[in-house]
Amino acid sequence: MIWRVASYIYQEISNVLLSKSIERMRKRLKRTKGICSCSSPRCINHSTFNWYEQDLWTYIARFLDGRSLVMLGATNKWFNSVIMQDCIWKFTCLRDLQVPDPGHVAFSWSKLYASVVDGSHSFIFRQQEKHIDWMRIGAFSFDSEVAFLSQRMSASVKILKQENIDDMLQSYGSCLLRKIKTGIWIADLQLVRCPVCDQEKCEGTMQMLDARHIELFLNQGFQDGSWDYELVGSHEIKKKVRGAYGAIFDFKYLTSKSTAGIFDYKSWIGQPNDFQPKAIIALHAVAVNTNLQENQAGVLIKYHTMRAGAEGEIVSIRISQQLL
């Protein structure tokens, strides 16, 4: 099927190029022929297009999805050498994730793309016994090295003036994180077992917004377990709450138009009797919300981060909401 589609695209492009070539030739002959001259009929040799034209197949690859590219690359060695060009996978990755070019990356774009679409998530590598279910939200970008984490559906100017994490958590349940690794981030919504007890048969669940840098799963420090999550703060809401909400913003774009839709929570959190998790993603932010049934105990929010080494950049952020 992929060969037929690619062949069709190739043939269409070839026909267009051939038509333009013939038209240009006709115009040249018309200009050079004299008014009274008589010329013998000439046979025009139409150019034979080479099926193994690298530039043309590179262009065709822009219209194929990742699976089709892999199938085309498996055709033979020549196609494999063309399809495995990093520029092709970079274009495919940025197109499918709908994010801007982050500039330099530490791994090939084919590996980065594979790590995003192969069904991997952070609980596959560790704490599998706590994991229940998950869904992919999408991708967003960090341009600055500062992240704003919040459990509120609106941003307050007073919050922005706070610099101490403990004070921010105590007052608003929000905090600023510095030294964020810039670039493309992948966001997932995880459903995990409640950590209040260690019983494997516990039916309690906990919602978690799980975001990571696109390169995380390819780093040796993550794979061998030397990088781990640490608790950076928590906040208790000791009253009835209508929903479990969590959001991550690139601080630089907190008040920009690109993130305004996240604060328009009525447009995406669902009706009060809709208890299915909802998520929204913007170019520089992501948020999740799950409407809760009637409760009196409140919610405990925890913020976890993972660094690339003891003093390294933050490469993953988790916001969890747990009923008290």
Side-chain angles (χ1 to χ4, degrees):
M1 183 61 184
I2 176 61
W3 177 257
R4 292 179 180 176
V5 173
S7 299
Y8 175 77
I9 296 174
Y10 184 96
Q11 191 62 48
E12 288 298 310
I13 296 175
S14 299
N15 290 338
V16 172
L17 294 176
L18 183 59
S19 298
K20 291 182 177 179
S21 177
I22 293 174
E23 184 63 26
R24 287 195 299 268
M25 184 176 294
R26 287 175 176 172
K27 290 181 178 180
R28 286 198 300 270
L29 289 173
K30 186 176 181 179
R31 286 196 300 265
T32 57
K33 186 169 62 174
I35 296 177
C36 299
S37 65
C38 179
S39 57
S40 302
R42 295 182 181 181
C43 180
I44 301 174
N45 290 324
H46 294 169
S47 300
T48 302
F49 285 90
N50 181 13
W51 278 88
Y52 291 96
E53 179 61 47
Q54 181 169 328
D55 290 343
L56 192 56
W57 281 105
T58 300
Y59 180 76
I60 293 174
R62 296 165 63 93
F63 300 94
L64 304 180
D65 59 18
R67 184 173 181 272
S68 299
L69 286 173
V70 172
M71 294 174 64
L72 183 59
T75 304
N76 57 38
K77 291 183 179 180
W78 186 87
F79 275 110
N80 182 264
S81 65
V82 173
I83 297 304
M84 291 310 296
Q85 293 181 88
D86 215 36
C87 62
I88 291 178
W89 288 100
K90 177 180 180 179
F91 177 88
T92 304
C93 193
L94 298 181
R95 178 199 63 195
D96 291 357
L97 297 181
Q98 298 182 14
V99 291
D101 185 355
H104 173 74
V105 292
F107 300 91
S108 69
W109 282 99
S110 59
K111 290 183 178 180
L112 291 174
Y113 186 83
S115 72
V116 174
V117 303
D118 65 359
S120 299
H121 58 83
S122 59
F123 280 89
I124 285 181
F125 299 90
R126 59 194 77 180
Q127 296 180 315
Q128 294 184 21
E129 69 283 356
K130 291 293 184 181
H131 191 253
I132 299 175
D133 201 0
W134 74 293
M135 74 173 188
R136 173 62 44 82
I137 301 174
F140 66 105
S141 294
F142 267 108
D143 283 352
S144 74
E145 297 182 352
V146 182
F148 177 69
L149 279 53
S150 177
Q151 53 81 30
R152 297 161 59 100
M153 292 190 182
S154 62
S156 170
V157 177
K158 292 182 179 179
I159 297 178
L160 306 185
K161 293 181 179 180
Q162 296 279 0
E163 294 184 358
N164 185 279
I165 292 180
D166 293 333
D167 291 342
M168 294 178 66
L169 288 168
Q170 185 68 26
S171 302
Y172 306 103
S174 305
C175 69
L176 289 176
L177 297 177
R178 305 182 187 279
K179 208 173 179 180
I180 301 292
K181 184 175 178 61
T182 59
I184 302 171
W185 280 58
I186 308 300
D188 298 327
L189 178 61
Q190 307 282 2
L191 188 64
V192 298
R193 298 190 185 279
C194 173
V196 171
C197 66
D198 294 326
Q199 300 177 16
E200 292 191 10
K201 294 184 179 180
C202 174
E203 296 181 356
T205 58
M206 182 177 69
Q207 170 183 290
M208 179 181 292
L209 173 56
D210 187 8
R212 61 176 173 87
H213 193 274
I214 192 173
E215 298 177 3
L216 178 62
F217 291 171
L218 300 177
N219 279 282
Q220 185 63 36
F222 177 83
Q223 295 176 0
D224 62 22
S226 59
W227 299 356
D228 205 354
Y229 289 94
E230 59 176 350
L231 179 67
V232 295
S234 61
H235 177 71
E236 289 186 9
I237 304 177
K238 298 180 179 180
K239 61 180 181 180
K240 182 174 70 174
V241 292
R242 295 181 178 179
Y245 174 87
I248 302 173
F249 297 87
D250 183 336
F251 182 72
K252 179 180 177 181
Y253 298 94
L254 181 60
T255 58
S256 72
K257 292 182 179 180
S258 64
T259 56
I262 291 181
F263 295 118
D264 183 18
Y265 62 91
K266 291 183 179 180
S267 66
W268 64 273
I269 66 171
Q271 298 299 318
N273 60 350
D274 183 357
F275 304 113
Q276 291 297 316
K278 298 292 189 296
I280 184 172
I281 199 159
L283 190 57
H284 300 288
V286 61
V288 297
N289 180 80
T290 300
N291 293 328
L292 301 176
Q293 299 182 11
E294 197 71 23
N295 66 86
Q296 300 294 334
V299 175
L300 173 63
I301 299 98
K302 292 183 178 180
Y303 300 121
H304 289 83
T305 61
M306 175 184 286
R307 292 184 177 274
E311 301 297 329
E313 296 174 307
I314 293 176
V315 291
S316 184
I317 300 171
R318 284 177 173 176
I319 304 178
S320 63
Q321 293 93 10
Q322 168 192 337
L323 287 175
L324 294 173

